[in-house]
Amino acid sequence: GPIWLDGLAPDTTLCAPSTATECLTVAAYAGVHDGAEGQGNLRGYSSRGPRMDGAVKVGLTAPDDPYTTLPSMTLPYSDVLLHGAYTVFGGTSGAGPHVAGTLALLMQAATGLSAQAAVQSMYDGALQIPEMGPLPNKDWGYGKLDVHKAALGAAAADNAPPFAVAEALDAGALQVVLDAGPSTDP
């Protein structure tokens, strides 16, 4: 493909289908697997606007590194075949499913809710922090996706993570029993 040797900039890096007028464009920020950018920061490889005609196209940002399952995979640089595995799924292709899943949940929860109203709920509920600058903008859109706030109108309350303890007991015949009884929330 074409390359540019001068004037490299992260602006106007949107590509199809994100350039479509009636499309919700999603950018990616670093989630748990933060990489070079640092957790919560916009990924260097994330699509950004504006569109070539100047329109701000990014609607929301979402984390790009959820885990996903693989039915089977061969480990890189080996002949080991795993039947069932987990892998990190990144990029805007990894951020998009968060937004699509939220849209589906919102529309399922409210009978008769239009797609446009559900998208507006996500925009209204987006997490906005001062470092993003005035929103919506070409990099962050309306901000970071906040599923709880989009669905219920308020951010989730802070809570402490549970303390988990599990003991694996060999039950024979290739069976394992996990006992989470000692956990704070078994």
Side-chain angles (χ1 to χ4, degrees), residues 42 50 110:
L42 197 63

Short mmCIF file of all heavy atoms in Angstrom, two decimals, residues 42 50 110:
data_model
loop_
_atom_site.label_atom_id
_atom_site.label_comp_id
_atom_site.label_asym_id
_atom_site.label_seq_id
_atom_site.Cartn_x
_atom_site.Cartn_y
_atom_site.Cartn_z
N LEU A 42 -5.20 6.65 25.15
CA LEU A 42 -5.55 6.32 23.78
C LEU A 42 -4.40 5.59 23.12
O LEU A 42 -3.23 5.96 23.26
CB LEU A 42 -5.86 7.62 23.01
CG LEU A 42 -6.61 7.51 21.71
CD1 LEU A 42 -8.01 6.95 21.93
CD2 LEU A 42 -6.71 8.87 21.05
N PRO A 50 -10.21 14.00 12.26
CA PRO A 50 -11.54 14.01 11.67
C PRO A 50 -11.56 13.24 10.35
O PRO A 50 -10.52 12.86 9.83
CB PRO A 50 -11.80 15.49 11.42
CG PRO A 50 -10.44 16.06 11.19
CD PRO A 50 -9.50 15.28 12.06
N ALA A 110 -34.64 -2.16 27.20
CA ALA A 110 -35.71 -1.17 27.02
C ALA A 110 -36.46 -1.47 25.73
O ALA A 110 -36.02 -1.07 24.65
CB ALA A 110 -35.14 0.24 27.01
#
